[in-house]
Amino acid sequence: DIVMTQSPDSLAVSLGERATINCKSSQSVLKSSNNQNYLAWFQQKSGQPPKLLIYWAFTRESGVSDRFSGSGSGTDFTLTISSLQAEDVAVYYCQQYYSDPLTFGGGTKVEIK
Amino acid sequence: EVQLVESGGGLVQPGGSLRLSCAASGFNFGTYWMHWVRQVPGKGLVWVSGVHSDENSAIYADSVKGRFTVSRDNAKNTLSLQMNSLRAEDTALYYCSRSSGWIFGLWGRGTLVTVSS
């Protein structure tokens, strides 16, 4: 199984500042046949289901603010919120869809400082 | 409206059974993989099971293999999860999710399963 490890577990960022979340997979999720990273990011606000933000490591889902960006390749990935807004308070998860079983990171809680 | 609505959760004793359902609407259900993902309140997301659009191919997490069975009825736009031999550790909010190539793009609001005596 591919283990997804996120860091930090939580972070507090001032409004308008940058938030950076890291995700590391126990093996590469880059498929050589199509040069795609099988990595997605989700946002989950309190009391709500998860919401897809980014897939293929850096492709933003339709309607998602361009404050959110994804980067990385292979085993190391980053979700960046460029200018934190109050509505971005949530738990963020990475997930690999390279192989079964599909696995999520443990989550990173983002709060306002 | 494109949506997924789960139902069937509740309180069940250890060793008991429960059947969850997910009603899909607003999209062509029969062309997507569908999945169950669970979450213990306050904890992380755990994928449980998925079923191919053709109704025949299913995959499971090791923790539920042999106890849970996923199925779908494309004619009724419904996804199901039959859960047998339930354990306390199966207690969670169960989400239904639609995927495109295993990318979970649409989620329901979940149904809560509590396994307790």
Side-chain angles (χ1 to χ4, degrees), chain A residues 1-7 21-31 36-41 57 71-78 93-99 101-106:
Chain A
D1 298 5
I2 299 177
V3 177
M4 307 300 291
T5 303
Q6 287 184 232
S7 62
I21 300 168
N22 300 303
C23 174
K24 189 175 184 68
S25 57
S26 61
Q27 63 189 76
S28 177
V29 297
L30 173 64
K31 193 163 284 188
Q36 293 277 21
N37 287 284
Y38 285 59
L39 189 284
W41 289 97
S71 62
S73 184
T75 61
D76 292 279
F77 301 90
T78 299
Y93 296 92
C94 61
Q95 179 239 335
Q96 66 81 18
Y97 48 98
Y98 181 91
S99 66
L102 310 176
T103 48
F104 292 85

Side-chain angles (χ1 to χ4, degrees), chain A residues 27-97:
Chain A
Q27 63 189 76
S28 177
V29 297
L30 173 64
K31 193 163 284 188
S32 56
S33 59
N34 59 6
N35 200 37
Q36 293 277 21
N37 287 284
Y38 285 59
L39 189 284
W41 289 97
F42 296 87
Q43 174 193 64
Q44 187 177 33
K45 297 181 179 180
S46 180
Q48 295 185 18
K51 173 188 174 183
L52 177 65
L53 294 178
I54 285 169
Y55 54 96
W56 300 128
F58 60 82
T59 301
R60 209 176 294 116
E61 173 74 329
S62 176
V64 171
S65 170
D66 59 6
R67 295 196 309 278
F68 295 92
S69 63
S71 62
S73 184
T75 61
D76 292 279
F77 301 90
T78 299
L79 175 69
T80 300
I81 310 173
S82 61
S83 175
L84 192 75
Q85 303 300 304
E87 62 263 32
D88 301 332
V89 168
V91 179
Y92 293 83
Y93 296 92
C94 61
Q95 179 239 335
Q96 66 81 18
Y97 48 98

